[in-house]
Amino acid sequence: MKKHILFTALIIVFTSCTKQKTVIEKDIHIIPKPVELKLTGGHFEFTETTSFVVVNDEQKQLAESFINTFEKAAGWKLNTTAKKPDSNFVLFNIDNNLSKEEYKLVVNKEHIEITAKGHAGFLYALETIRQLLPVEIESNKMVGNTDWRIPALTIQDKPRFVYRGLMLDLSRHFFDKSYIEATIDRLAMLKMNVLHLHLVDDQGWRIEIKKYPKLTEVGAWRVDQEHVIWNARLTVDPDEKGTYGGFLTQEELKDIVKYAATKNIEIIPEIEMPAHVSSAIAAYPDLACFNQRIGVPSGGVWPNTDIYCAGKETTFEFLQNVLDEVMTVFPSQYIHIGGDEATKTNWEKCLHCQKRMQEEGLENVHELQSYFVKRMEKYINAKGKKLIGWDEILEGGLAPEATVMSWRGTEGGMEASQQGHDVIMTPQSHCYFDHYQGPQNEEPLAIGGYTPLSKVYQFDPVVDEMSPEQVKHVLGGQANLWAEYIPTTQQSEYMIFPRLAAMAEVLWSPKEARNWDDFTRRLPSLLERYDYLGINYSKSAYLVAASSTADLEHKQVKVALKNEFPNADIRYVLGGKNLEEQATKYTDSIAIKETTILKASLFKENKPVGKVFTDTIQFHKAVGNTLNFKIPFNENYKGDGPLSLVNIIRGSKNFHDGQWQAWLVDDMEVVIDLETIQSVNQVTVGSLENQGSGIYFPTAIKVFISNDGISYKEVGAIERPFAINSNSELKDFIISFEKSNVRFVKVIASNLKKSPKGEDSWLFVDEILVE
């Protein structure tokens, strides 16, 4: 009997030790990182009888939202009460001395106490508790065998910046109410507090304006050219009916605003002016200088010449009426008026605009734009609102109370803050989420640029050169997702997450507390939560990327491997070896001297994780040999030197990677001197097509051979008529022929010359392989 009791006691002790594993700070995975966190030992466990002590409807609403999450994952319907129990409760405590979004969280084994000034602080404390709980709390289905406990601790937390935003572009591709509300939930999870909706642009007007029904009847719809890459889309006939698009009614937008308020998120509308308004002019041509009839553009527009007429009084009447309706929908303190990228050539010729300049004593069209913005700001201010504009509103003189959103670097923010204006930093270098975030060959088509997760984390809204007084004017920062290349909600999620987590930490956490190694340690837990939530986040940060250098003297290539994580365990194999079982740990660049296949992956717990990097390094008979061009390649695209086409290294979909030689309009004609007579039966020409950037595959390729370099014989050719390509694509064109002994090989690749839009076309080539 004593032996049985002893055995049972041992089981209890063992089980207790297993369940009560000592928690250390590295076990805490909160993003964004709190200002101050101190572990106090032990834990609090949520049970079926845990209650939330609330004293008002606001607290009850917050508690019930949290309870609903628990009900889905644990199957428990926790309760709220006005009377504090002896233990096992969550208490809301009001402290009016705290700032709006600040909170204090105290957790012990008996209860949880949240102290905040009001709604925002309580909300963020609950979001912190959510991230302290097991990741299974995010499940929409009941999860068994889970201990719903959090460590005992104290947290004191508040944001570094008051403005922490995300911009969604609804114009270029339309996203509906349900997706916007899902995005609001995800913003709140990361303690972000602004959603900027880009509701107007050339390609679509997305907000119902009852006084001007054609804005949505006409302006919200464009001719469907979704099968064509964005910037290759053709100009549309104004009489052709649009079928792609959509808009949000004022009632839908009011619902979104109301829902956002429960998550402490301000919705800021952007109503573009004076440019990016083709959709409005398509609906009401008299808004333009010359009453020109245009269709709603289906794709890229540059330059932006179809802009509002700044000379007509009816333009301002229209805009004031529009803003009156916008302001009944959005109670936000700000109205964003855009103000960017206005090409003012029509203003220079317009009699109305010239008359306005003369009457107002304006020296040039830049000052006319300043007049336009200042006039709209005066109207917005009279309605109790503040104006935000992109940094172009600085041109010609800044409106008195305007806030500047600095996107062309940080210079606009520097200038505006020097003038005493508030600024929101959103430089495209770090904040444009429409940029690629991983190796382009592995990524869906994007607009360009490269803004990986680690670069977002390096962002800081405060510029080192700012004075203390300027720093006071930095409200915060914002991530922007322009949607030219974002046709679906799945793609939108992919571009936002997890980069938004990095942005959230930049804008919330103290600068001195931020650490990339620490962030990457906490990130996997958040990604697991995203898995439960069904968010299509990007795993690009885990991808292995390669950079290669050619040593043509010794006919070898050196390949360096990396990904975004510090001290990453990258392993590789060459040839046909099995990556999982025969991989070599990568420590330094790999020297390759013969044709082989390289495979590499990030490893975790001795297993490959994420997508396997695969590259074929192909040596051929022309490697390092002399090239003679009939027409030199373009100065802007020289590859990595004169022998780039025979250096073994292949180009990527990033045509700025330094491995492409290119010809604008001209054909490529090149002669390769093999130096000795060699047996040859195949030539491969590597090319790139990105029709949105004006790059097209060759329309024909011909191969000639010679022994003396004077008399050539054609041995093979291919013809390829133009075809619409809605993606970026790499392609090897292979010309095979009867085996021949030759010294010289001539290759002619024909340029398309003119695109379907009538623009000059590029021909890009990365390698000519002779075998």
Side-chain angles (χ1 to χ4, degrees):
M1 183 68 178
K2 288 182 179 178
K3 287 182 180 179
H4 178 72
I5 293 171
L6 178 61
F7 180 69
T8 304
L10 285 170
I11 291 175
I12 292 169
V13 171
F14 178 77
T15 304
S16 175
C17 289
T18 302
K19 287 187 176 180
Q20 296 188 35
K21 173 191 169 186
T22 301
V23 175
I24 60 175
E25 192 168 335
K26 284 191 175 181
D27 296 320
I28 307 297
H29 300 142
I30 301 166
I31 294 177
K33 190 173 185 176
V35 173
E36 186 179 318
L37 182 152
K38 182 180 179 181
L39 290 164
T40 54
H43 67 270
F44 173 85
E45 184 161 5
F46 284 88
T47 70
E48 292 181 77
T49 59
T50 301
S51 58
F52 287 75
V53 183
V54 298
V55 297
N56 56 41
D57 289 343
E58 184 178 77
Q59 292 177 7
K60 186 174 182 180
Q61 182 187 51
L62 286 166
E64 287 179 346
S65 177
F66 196 82
I67 287 168
N68 289 339
T69 301
F70 246 113
E71 187 173 10
K72 291 174 188 174
W76 303 336
K77 182 67 174 177
L78 307 180
N79 70 299
T80 60
T81 179
K83 184 179 179 182
K84 185 172 75 173
D86 292 334
S87 64
N88 195 15
F89 60 87
V90 179
L91 174 69
F92 294 90
N93 180 41
I94 297 172
D95 183 348
N96 288 316
N97 292 317
L98 298 181
S99 58
K100 178 187 175 184
E101 296 179 310
E102 187 176 1
Y103 69 91
K104 182 178 180 181
L105 179 64
V106 178
V107 180
N108 59 44
K109 65 180 182 179
E110 298 294 333
H111 69 275
I112 298 172
E113 184 172 344
I114 302 169
T115 303
K117 185 173 187 175
H119 175 266
F122 291 129
L123 171 73
Y124 291 151
L126 288 171
E127 290 295 347
T128 293
I129 293 171
R130 178 179 173 182
Q131 289 197 46
L132 288 168
L133 281 161
V135 296
E136 289 83 1
I137 192 65
E138 312 300 342
S139 177
N140 276 321
K141 298 177 182 177
M142 198 167 76
V143 180
N145 301 319
T146 301
D147 295 320
W148 302 108
R149 58 169 54 135
I150 65 174
L153 47 66
T154 60
I155 289 176
Q156 290 188 294
D157 204 9
K158 62 180 179 179
R160 181 182 173 203
F161 294 102
V162 297
Y163 187 110
R164 308 179 303 281
L166 169 70
M167 186 278 291
L168 283 183
D169 172 8
L170 305 186
S171 177
R172 275 53 176 269
H173 284 96
F174 177 64
F175 299 106
D176 65 11
K177 177 185 173 185
S178 62
Y179 180 67
I180 295 169
E181 290 185 343
T183 302
I184 288 168
D185 289 338
R186 294 155 187 178
L187 286 167
M189 187 177 183
L190 293 168
K191 303 183 176 74
M192 303 284 276
N193 65 355
V194 176
L195 178 60
H196 165 184
L197 294 180
H198 187 75
L199 294 165
V200 173
D201 215 300
D202 295 305
Q203 296 82 9
W205 185 285
R206 304 298 181 209
I207 175 173
E208 175 192 27
I209 302 297
K210 293 177 180 179
K211 191 175 182 69
Y212 300 104
K214 286 185 180 179
L215 288 173
T216 47
E217 290 171 5
V218 176
W221 305 93
R222 64 180 185 241
V223 174
D224 191 340
Q225 295 187 41
E226 293 298 298
H227 63 293
V228 182
I229 201 167
W230 183 259
N231 284 326
R233 296 178 186 179
L234 302 178
T235 303
V236 299
D237 186 323
D239 293 320
E240 189 173 356
K241 186 174 176 60
T243 57
Y244 175 88
F247 64 94
L248 294 162
T249 67
Q250 291 188 13
E251 288 308 307
E252 286 176 314
L253 286 164
K254 286 177 182 178
D255 287 345
I256 290 169
V257 168
K258 185 177 179 181
Y259 183 72
T262 68
K263 304 291 184 178
N264 191 48
I265 290 171
E266 182 178 34
I267 306 288
I268 295 178
E270 181 179 359
I271 309 297
E272 276 274 12
M273 59 183 83
H276 288 287
V277 292
S278 297
S279 55
I281 291 172
Y284 296 99
D286 58 320
L287 294 170
C289 287
F290 307 115
N291 297 359
Q292 59 263 37
R293 290 189 69 237
I294 60 171
V296 178
S298 295
V301 176
W302 192 260
N304 292 307
T305 54
D306 289 315
I307 67 177
Y308 289 139
C309 179
K312 295 178 182 176
E313 201 60 27
T314 51
T315 300
F316 294 97
E317 180 185 339
F318 165 82
L319 288 171
Q320 288 170 5
N321 289 335
V322 166
L323 290 179
D324 284 346
E325 293 194 34
V326 168
M327 287 185 276
T328 65
V329 175
F330 297 95
S332 58
Q333 62 176 321
Y334 292 108
I335 300 293
H336 201 306
I337 59 109
D340 61 311
E341 298 182 329
T343 302
K344 308 173 188 69
T345 50
N346 286 350
W347 286 3
E348 291 171 347
K349 297 178 286 185
C350 172
L351 295 178
H352 301 288
C353 292
Q354 292 301 309
K355 182 181 178 184
R356 175 83 69 190
M357 290 170 64
Q358 186 177 11
E359 290 174 347
E360 299 293 336
L362 307 174
E363 291 188 8
N364 53 48
V365 290
H366 296 298
E367 290 191 4
L368 180 58
Q369 175 160 340
S370 179
Y371 164 85
F372 191 115
V373 172
K374 288 175 180 177
R375 180 166 173 177
M376 293 314 302
E377 185 196 37
K378 186 176 180 181
Y379 188 79
I380 289 168
N381 291 163
K383 300 288 184 175
K385 305 282 188 178
K386 298 178 182 178
L387 178 147
I388 298 179
W390 302 107
D391 56 51
E392 283 94 334
I393 67 172
L394 285 159
E395 295 170 6
L398 189 55
E401 303 297 327
T403 297
V404 171
M405 198 167 266
S406 186
W407 73 277
R408 296 178 300 177
T410 57
E411 292 81 5
M414 284 288 291
E415 183 180 344
S417 61
Q418 283 172 343
Q419 296 178 22
H421 290 266
D422 287 343
V423 299
I424 298 157
M425 289 297 199
T426 178
Q428 58 184 323
S429 57
H430 293 78
C431 302
Y432 271 40
F433 284 10
D434 52 336
H435 289 180
Y436 286 99
Q437 56 192 311
Q440 286 192 24
N441 287 9
E442 307 296 333
E443 293 290 294
L445 185 64
I447 199 166
Y450 181 54
T451 308
L453 181 68
S454 57
K455 191 169 185 180
V456 176
Y457 199 76
Q458 293 166 9
F459 171 57
D460 196 276
V462 173
V463 180
D464 289 341
E465 293 78 15
M466 283 181 168
S467 68
E469 193 59 35
Q470 285 179 277
V471 172
K472 292 178 184 177
H473 287 290
V474 179
L475 301 180
Q478 177 173 288
N480 297 317
L481 184 62
W482 302 103
E484 290 93 333
Y485 289 80
I486 316 292
T488 67
T489 56
Q490 287 286 95
Q491 178 70 1
S492 181
E493 290 175 353
Y494 183 90
M495 301 303 275
I496 294 172
F497 303 103
R499 287 189 285 189
L500 193 66
M503 179 64 71
E505 185 146 306
V506 163
L507 298 175
W508 179 279
S509 305
K511 184 176 182 179
E512 60 274 11
R514 292 193 347 243
N515 178 280
W516 173 244
D517 291 11
D518 180 50
F519 176 78
T520 57
R521 176 187 59 75
R522 287 177 281 122
L523 182 63
S525 175
L526 182 64
L527 299 185
E528 286 186 69
R529 294 175 189 276
Y530 288 168
D531 286 330
Y532 274 106
L533 292 167
I535 297 173
N536 184 42
Y537 63 88
S538 168
K539 302 176 183 68
S540 303
Y542 292 91
L543 290 175
V544 174
S547 58
S548 302
T549 54
D551 179 356
L552 295 181
E553 183 181 351
H554 299 97
K555 296 203 173 178
Q556 69 174 8
V557 171
K558 288 189 175 181
V559 182
L561 304 174
K562 67 174 183 178
N563 74 357
E564 285 200 73
F565 294 101
N567 305 312
D569 182 7
I570 297 174
R571 305 182 194 182
Y572 70 94
V573 292
L574 297 174
K577 290 183 179 179
N578 183 288
L579 181 62
E580 190 164 340
E581 297 174 0
Q582 298 173 285
T584 299
K585 184 175 177 63
Y586 175 78
T587 56
D588 202 355
S589 57
I590 308 159
I592 297 174
K593 297 182 179 181
E594 60 184 6
T595 297
T596 191
I597 296 174
L598 169 64
K599 292 182 180 179
S601 178
L602 178 68
F603 272 65
K604 185 178 181 181
E605 296 174 356
N606 290 317
K607 295 287 184 182
V609 294
K611 189 172 183 179
V612 173
F613 169 82
T614 304
D615 188 23
T616 299
I617 295 93
Q618 190 169 352
F619 287 72
H620 52 93
K621 294 181 178 180
V623 172
N625 289 340
T626 303
L627 302 174
N628 291 301
F629 295 95
K630 182 177 180 180
I631 297 175
F633 41 81
N634 190 279
E635 280 293 305
N636 293 319
Y637 297 99
K638 302 177 182 180
D640 73 347
L643 300 181
S644 189
L645 297 187
V646 288
N647 72 348
I648 312 167
I649 303 172
R650 305 305 302 271
S652 69
K653 291 181 181 179
N654 174 13
F655 54 87
H656 298 296
D657 65 9
Q659 293 301 328
W660 293 98
Q661 291 184 339
W663 289 260
L664 182 61
V665 179
D666 296 318
D667 297 337
M668 179 198 75
E669 183 172 338
V670 59
V671 174
I672 305 169
D673 183 355
L674 300 178
E675 298 180 358
T676 61
I677 300 292
Q678 299 194 46
S679 178
V680 173
N681 70 331
Q682 183 172 288
V683 170
T684 301
V685 177
S687 189
L688 166 70
E689 185 161 74
N690 184 328
Q691 293 184 0
S693 298
I695 303 168
Y696 296 84
F697 283 142
T699 56
I701 299 175
K702 295 181 180 180
V703 175
F704 304 81
I705 58 175
S706 171
N707 282 332
D708 59 9
I710 299 171
S711 177
Y712 284 89
K713 172 187 174 184
E714 183 177 337
V715 290
I718 58 172
E719 299 246 349
R720 185 193 172 279
F722 166 78
I724 291 174
N725 187 349
S726 62
N727 215 320
S728 178
E729 184 181 352
L730 300 168
K731 189 175 181 65
D732 281 347
F733 294 93
I734 301 172
I735 300 96
S736 299
F737 46 90
E738 186 177 338
K739 188 173 288 187
S740 305
N741 294 320
V742 303
R743 175 174 170 178
F744 298 94
V745 177
K746 180 193 290 185
V747 181
I748 300 175
S750 300
N751 194 314
L752 180 65
K753 311 292 186 189
K754 292 287 182 183
S755 75
K757 292 179 74 171
E759 298 169 344
D760 291 347
S761 63
W762 287 95
L763 170 66
F764 272 63
V765 179
D766 68 336
E767 189 83 1
I768 300 175
L769 298 87
V770 178
E771 300 170 271

